[in-house]
Amino acid sequence: MAKAVDDGRVYLSLEEVHEELLKLLLLFDDFCKVHGLRYSLDSGTLLGAVRHKGFIPWDDDLDVSMPRPDYERLLSLDGELPEGLHLVNALNSVFAFGFCKLCTDKIRAQEPSYEGRMDEMLWIDIFPVDGISPDLDEALKTWKAVHRTTRRNVWATVNHQAERGLRRVLKTACGALLRLGDPRGEMLHAIADAVSNPGYERAGRVCCLVGGESGLWTLPKDGYEATVEMEFEGHLLPCMCCWDEFLNELYGDYMQLPPEEERRTHCIKAWRV
């Protein structure tokens, strides 16, 4: 159950966060069906569907991905989203990454890294999937260019209070220096270059170039685009049919539960507004 704390807010329990995230996911699913948008459960959410038939018990977010053409259409339809929902990205906020979040206006959900930088609302992460060169060296070069500029923008954007000791001092100082330039512009330029070469439609393999620290993985485009329905908290939702290959790439022996000390969350604080 939600509980009150010293600051007067009533924070949602993890179970209540799951309930609200599921509502948001089902609204997103309905919207995609109405507008013919393709998507797949992704990352830890896909793993949760396979291993737990729902949320990973300690997880506090939801991840989906979309082919780049569908992702761009979604951005263009922001104004047609159901009332109370909106998209947040690096173009309309200080969000530091090259993907977007579908947010609800009803629930604040603050991460420590954006405290004092951006008032966050409960969200679903939506990752664009792009075409990638079949040449591994070329693909790695492309991924590194996006990853390098994204990391610089993150360092310049978020606060570093969660870091300890010397790491916090160094990241804070580096972030201040990076802000003297245009780290967001550099990131967006690198993403635009990567998206256009070879382009989603011309590619035979795809990957997520903007997904953070998970490293480079590639999948056959036909395997990613073809979806199967999997159970997630009692609902059937689309998942890439190459889910086993994908989860092996990301997590290795993905059916094995990680040690308790590796069961990480976003450490969000969520409350109703």
Side-chain angles (χ1 to χ4, degrees):
M1 294 294 293
K3 58 181 181 179
V5 293
D6 291 342
D7 60 14
R9 296 173 183 153
V10 179
Y11 291 131
L12 302 186
S13 67
L14 181 57
E15 292 75 15
E16 289 170 321
V17 169
H18 285 177
E19 291 174 6
E20 296 299 332
L21 284 172
L22 181 60
K23 292 177 187 176
L24 193 53
L25 178 59
L26 296 178
L27 287 172
F28 173 74
D29 180 67
D30 287 342
F31 187 81
C32 288
K33 288 175 179 174
V34 168
H35 292 278
L37 298 173
R38 299 169 293 176
Y39 82 94
S40 170
L41 302 187
D42 204 277
S43 303
T45 305
L46 179 58
L47 175 58
V50 172
R51 194 171 67 195
H52 305 277
K53 298 187 183 299
F55 287 98
I56 295 174
W58 56 88
D59 203 4
D60 59 358
D61 79 336
L62 277 175
D63 302 308
V64 302
S65 62
M66 308 181 82
R68 173 64 70 169
D70 300 76
Y71 178 85
E72 296 294 343
R73 277 197 61 216
L74 175 68
L75 295 182
S76 73
L77 293 168
D78 190 5
E80 299 183 32
L81 288 168
E83 184 178 359
L85 303 184
H86 65 280
L87 297 174
V88 167
N89 57 48
L91 292 174
N92 64 13
S93 74
V94 299
F95 183 57
F97 291 90
F99 56 94
C100 76
K101 295 171 175 278
L102 175 68
C103 303
T104 173
D105 294 342
K106 297 178 180 179
I107 299 173
R108 287 271 279 111
Q110 193 71 47
E111 296 173 280
S113 58
Y114 282 100
E115 190 79 48
R117 298 284 194 267
M118 176 172 70
D119 288 342
E120 295 179 285
M121 310 303 291
L122 193 68
W123 72 87
I124 296 174
D125 287 328
I126 304 176
F127 299 100
V129 168
D130 289 298
I132 194 71
S133 171
D135 180 87
L136 184 58
D137 289 338
E138 187 66 25
L140 191 58
K141 180 181 177 181
T142 299
W143 179 83
K144 284 182 176 179
V146 173
H147 178 71
R148 181 175 60 253
T149 56
T150 299
R151 182 173 58 185
R152 289 165 61 88
N153 191 48
V154 171
W155 279 37
T157 302
V158 306
N159 70 56
H160 301 288
Q161 300 309 306
E163 301 287 354
R164 295 182 178 180
L166 186 59
R167 284 178 62 88
R168 182 167 67 180
V169 174
L170 289 175
K171 284 192 173 185
T172 300
C174 287
L177 289 174
L178 289 168
R179 286 194 294 276
L180 298 176
D182 182 20
R184 185 182 72 162
E186 292 173 6
M187 178 189 74
L188 294 175
H189 180 73
I191 292 171
D193 282 349
V195 167
S196 63
N197 185 26
Y200 186 87
E201 300 297 348
R202 295 189 299 274
R205 296 190 71 82
V206 297
C207 74
C208 180
L209 293 166
V210 297
E213 304 291 337
S214 58
L216 175 66
W217 52 262
T218 72
L219 296 170
K221 184 170 72 174
D222 57 355
Y224 173 74
E225 290 185 337
T227 59
V228 295
E229 290 189 327
M230 286 192 182
E231 181 180 347
F232 189 89
E233 299 296 336
H235 301 270
L236 294 177
L237 297 171
C239 300
M240 63 186 83
C241 73
C242 55
W243 54 267
D244 179 65
E245 179 181 351
F246 175 75
L247 293 177
N248 270 302
E249 285 278 350
L250 259 66
Y251 304 110
D253 184 10
Y254 58 83
M255 294 302 289
Q256 182 69 37
L257 292 176
E260 288 192 18
E261 63 270 16
E262 296 179 12
R263 299 177 185 181
R264 301 185 180 92
T265 73
H266 287 78
C267 300
I268 66 170
K269 294 179 179 179
W271 65 97
R272 301 184 193 280
V273 296

